[in-house]
Amino acid sequence: MTATLVAVQVLNGLQLGVLLFLVAAGLTLVFGVMDFINLAHGVQYMLGAYLAVTFYGLTGNFFAALVLALLAALAFGLLLEFVVFRHLYDRDHLDQVLATFGVILFLNEGVRIVWGAAPLSYPIPQLLQGTIPLIDGFGYPIYRVAMILSGLATAVLLWFLVTRTRVGMLVRAGATNPRMVSALGVDIRRLFMVVFGFGAMLAGFAGVMSGPILSVEPGMGDGVLILAFVVIVIGGIGSIRGAFVAALIIGLVDTLGRSFMTDIFKAFMAPAAANQVGPAIASMLIYLLMAGVLFFRPTGLFPATGR
Amino acid sequence: MSAPVGVVAATGSGRVVPAVLLILLAALPAVANAADLSFATLLMTRVMIYAIAALSLDLILGYGAMVSFGHAAFVGIGAYAIGIASAHDLWEGAITFPLAMLAAGLFALVTGAISLRTRGVYFIMITLAFGQMAYFTASSLSEYGGDDGLTMWAQTEFLGAEPFGDRTTFYYLVLACLAGCFVFLRALVASRFGRVIAGVRENRLRMQAVGFNPYLYQLAAYVIAGMIAGLAGALLANHAEFVSPSYMSWQRSGDLIIMVVLGGMGTLHGAVLGAIAYLMLEEGLSHFTEHWRVIFGPLLILIVLYARGGLGSLLRRGGSDG
């Protein structure tokens, strides 16, 4: 019974972890290559979900909606890069924070105008409905398993792209020394654009995947953005590997903390007090973890080399 | 960047702008009453409370170049100190106000001690994360309203008197706090301490070589800023007679940064101007449409791209030309 409960929560934690990885990967790539802090990455996640709502309404097919939403998210990411972000690469971080904060204000409100403030949703595709039986009669939704697997597959793909392809080599070189790469005749601006579009698409993918199990509403990207920040700070800014490890740690710690912290406190505290303290500590847990990591390693677990 | 610290205070706009502001703010309630616009007094009270918070942020952001994205947490902690005290039937401001400032200062000390070990983007993200931590902690305080916030059924008293009960008295008290914080911070940035802070901003390594410990100076500035923001929070709780986690949301921290940058960083009076301009703009645009953010967002981007120095620099330029 308890073992099953733990197993379910571990799976939930992994699912949150891969979701965070998808968002954090784009964020950390963009920062690593361009030294650009993009607060608007969370609204790109939100936009992915909203686009999927619309395309699902048009096509009635989850997978068609997924592909169309990814293409639209990519196009929109490139548009944002062209209109706003490319003017900010040479500015200091404060300017980047403010301008991308402006993008958040605009898009959160724009979404409210276009799609309304009420939460929206779209169903889990037929293919992925149902549950996988765990021990003693408990099941785990197939869709969530599919999320975990697709996240892991994306991580492998990303690893392959970054370490085994020419573009990946340029990305790594660009993260280490953009001027040198530029001097060698690589169009660094175009490289930025590719990385940026790809990051936007990953965030959009996370948004599309989480649409059926979370409500699609304005501001849904803000919480994810901040968790993704915690992830890349712990993992080391610019490091994909760090983002992956940290995303899984954060996903597990947050989920397990929220599920079991109150019970743990009940073991050595009065139940009433535990009910008060448990949730409060559980919601602080990942930030305490972050503080702990940074106290011993101010640049994160896997600091990107060359920076 | 702005003019070197101390120069601003000594030259024209450093004295004229605050003096003009003080006179205008002092005259406002009388004018508002005469023109039958008594809501203006209430609105400006709120504006001045945020101006105090923006002032405190300018100390670390403008003079110290510490981009804190969690400043609203200090405001919220100050507000919650008042709210929680009121829930336990403690209304005496001579106790609760120092308590609010100490609580915010303590939070600044602990989070600052960790955050200031890092630089640049790490610092931005860590302060943001600590701000969120405070936000979620406040949301989980089910005994004190949780997500819904906590309604106070009276305002803080001072030695038996209830100065916040009367709108105009409340207004002048906030104005006095604002002026007091302004004078204090002006003196602070002009002092040896302030020059060390600015020196670290310009060249950390050199300050270290001269024999200062930048970490301790920055931490002290961070705690002072946190305490002043806590004072703003205590006033805010009394203004709204309500405290809620939303005071600590990261958008509020963003608002405070916008105020400081909008008014011009590292001038102090710029933070006050920025708070006035930002909240007036919000008020004006939200009368125009409930979706005012859809206008303000692009406006903010344009300001960042094309009007870097903020309102303060416009005034300064106008002042020296004319």
Side-chain angles (χ1 to χ4, degrees), chain B residues 6 26 52 59 103 112 125 129 150 169 191 195 207 213 224 227 244 250 269 273 280 287 300-301 306:
Chain B
I52 295 173
L59 173 66
M125 294 188 188
L150 177 69
T169 317
S191 70
R195 284 165 191 277
M207 290 308 285
N213 183 344
I224 292 170
M227 290 177 78
S244 111
W250 70 293
H269 62 262
L273 283 175
M280 287 310 191
H287 271 295
L300 180 61
I301 298 170
Y306 299 111

Side-chain angles (χ1 to χ4, degrees), chain B residues 161-184:
Chain B
E162 293 178 24
F164 295 139
D166 178 62
R167 264 184 199 189
T168 313
T169 317
F170 194 177
Y171 178 92
Y172 281 113
L173 273 174
V174 173
L175 180 58
C177 285
L178 177 60
C181 289
F182 182 85
V183 171
F184 169 71

Side-chain angles (χ1 to χ4, degrees), chain A:
Chain A
M1 174 64 204
T2 323
T4 318
L5 198 60
V6 172
V8 167
Q9 294 302 350
V10 166
L11 285 171
N12 281 341
L14 282 178
Q15 181 241 305
L16 177 63
V18 296
L19 193 74
L20 288 177
F21 171 69
L22 290 177
V23 178
L27 206 57
T28 205
L29 268 182
V30 165
F31 187 84
V33 182
M34 304 176 217
D35 196 22
F36 178 64
I37 174 168
N38 179 18
L39 296 186
H41 202 69
V43 290
Q44 283 163 330
Y45 159 88
M46 172 186 74
L47 213 61
Y50 269 105
L51 289 167
V53 167
T54 297
F55 287 123
Y56 184 82
L58 290 175
T59 62
N61 182 316
F62 176 85
F63 296 102
L66 173 66
V67 173
L68 288 173
L70 283 186
L71 291 176
L74 174 66
F76 194 83
L78 293 179
L79 181 73
L80 268 182
E81 202 270 350
F82 184 74
V83 175
V84 183
F85 298 151
R86 67 170 44 182
H87 308 291
L88 293 165
Y89 293 148
D90 303 330
R91 300 297 196 90
D92 62 22
H93 290 139
L94 179 60
D95 281 358
Q96 296 170 353
V97 162
L98 281 174
T100 53
F101 190 70
V103 173
I104 295 180
L105 293 179
F106 176 74
L107 283 179
N108 270 344
E109 204 62 42
V111 156
R112 199 167 284 149
I113 294 173
V114 175
W115 281 281
L120 301 172
S121 188
Y122 44 94
I124 293 170
Q126 199 86 53
L127 188 67
L128 301 175
Q129 274 173 4
T131 56
I132 294 173
L134 293 174
I135 1 169
D136 46 75
F138 274 88
Y140 196 74
I142 293 177
Y143 185 76
R144 285 176 184 261
V145 175
M147 274 181 85
I148 296 174
L149 292 179
S150 64
L152 294 178
T154 312
V156 172
L157 176 72
L158 212 55
W159 169 82
F160 180 79
L161 282 178
V162 171
T163 59
R164 292 288 184 271
T165 65
R166 186 175 168 76
V167 175
M169 184 191 75
L170 290 177
V171 166
R172 280 181 291 140
T176 313
N177 196 335
R179 277 199 180 167
M180 186 62 85
V181 175
S182 183
L184 290 173
V186 175
D187 185 348
I188 200 94
R189 292 260 155 179
R190 180 174 303 167
L191 183 67
F192 283 2
M193 214 163 157
V194 168
V195 172
F196 199 91
F198 193 66
M201 206 165 73
L202 283 180
F205 180 54
V208 177
M209 292 304 283
S210 56
I213 54 171
L214 303 169
S215 61
V216 181
E217 57 192 343
M220 68 184 274
D222 297 357
V224 173
L225 171 79
I226 289 160
L227 286 180
F229 272 161
V230 174
V231 164
I232 67 174
V233 164
I234 290 181
I237 301 177
S239 161
I240 296 275
R241 186 170 54 138
F244 183 72
V245 173
L248 293 187
I249 293 176
I250 290 295
L252 285 170
V253 167
D254 192 50
T255 310
L256 295 177
R258 280 175 205 282
S259 313
F260 300 115
M261 195 50 96
T262 309
D263 291 332
I264 292 171
F265 275 102
K266 270 182 187 156
F268 55 88
M269 257 177 150
N275 282 335
Q276 278 292 323
V277 177
I281 297 289
S283 60
M284 287 166 67
L285 207 55
I286 55 169
Y287 303 104
L288 295 177
L289 180 71
M290 179 191 74
V293 169
L294 287 174
F295 191 79
F296 294 106
R297 310 196 60 163
T299 48
L301 293 176
F302 300 94
T305 44
R307 188 175 287 282

